[in-house]
Amino acid sequence: MIPDIDITALILAAGESRRMGNPKPLLPLGDETALERTVALFADAGIQDIRVVTGHMAETVRDRLPNLPVKWIHNDMFQDGMLSSIKKGFVAIQTDRLWFFLLPVDIPLVRHRTLASLLEARSAGTNDASLLHPT
């Protein structure tokens, strides 16, 4: 796929995972973790600017996955909920980015075709939508 240089992928991975017991980004999913699977989804689509918002156990997540091709963003207000991570990530996105994908790390099974369909809809420019979402 052709690299999309005006798109950022923003992965939310700051939650406490209280009910899960272990950090969700590090949960095994086949031969990889949920975070590795989510990063690969965007990287395989040609998105080069992938950012991960961490919070709870941020150092553990970064230390366990040091080779991920991402920019780490720390949300020190992660206890305030997901919206605080969205805000933190949004502020960190470069102003020259026209679009961004937003995906919580605990939804790692998005199909490659779903992402491709969204990218196609954006590229087609046949609608005036400022927000695209799969249905």
Side-chain angles (χ1 to χ4, degrees), residues 1-2 9 18 22 31 34-35 42-43 53 58 62 67 75 80 82 84 87 89-90 94 97 111 117 120 125:
M1 193 163 252
I2 298 171
R18 284 178 284 199
N22 294 309
D31 293 336
L35 183 54
F42 292 115
V53 181
R62 287 191 312 268
N67 297 321
N75 177 12
D80 291 345
M82 189 182 299
S84 69
K87 288 178 180 178
F90 187 72
Q94 297 177 11
R97 301 292 180 198
R111 291 185 174 109
S117 294
E120 288 169 15

Side-chain angles (χ1 to χ4, degrees), residues 2 6-7 16 21 47 63 69 83 85 99 120 122:
I2 298 171
D6 67 337
I7 297 177
E16 294 182 70
I47 296 172
D63 288 350
L83 183 58
S85 292
W99 291 81
E120 288 169 15
R122 181 194 75 78

Side-chain angles (χ1 to χ4, degrees), residues 1-102:
M1 193 163 252
I2 298 171
D4 268 299
I5 59 172
D6 67 337
I7 297 177
T8 294
L10 190 59
I11 301 169
L12 306 178
E16 294 182 70
S17 306
R18 284 178 284 199
R19 292 173 297 197
M20 193 63 69
N22 294 309
K24 289 179 184 177
L26 300 178
L27 289 175
L29 188 62
D31 293 336
E32 55 194 353
T33 65
L35 183 54
E36 288 170 316
R37 166 66 176 85
T38 306
V39 168
L41 170 74
F42 292 115
D44 291 348
I47 296 172
Q48 298 172 351
D49 186 22
I50 303 171
R51 299 171 188 232
V52 178
V53 181
T54 60
H56 182 69
M57 298 187 73
E59 191 172 309
T60 300
V61 172
R62 287 191 312 268
D63 288 350
R64 290 265 311 273
L65 303 170
N67 297 321
L68 283 182
V70 302
K71 295 175 184 164
W72 300 100
I73 302 165
H74 182 68
N75 177 12
D76 54 357
M77 303 291 288
F78 65 89
Q79 301 94 334
D80 291 345
M82 189 182 299
L83 183 58
S84 69
S85 292
I86 294 170
K87 288 178 180 178
K88 189 75 169 188
F90 187 72
V91 167
I93 293 175
Q94 297 177 11
T95 57
D96 63 338
R97 301 292 180 198
L98 300 176
W99 291 81
F100 72 95
F101 283 102
L102 179 66

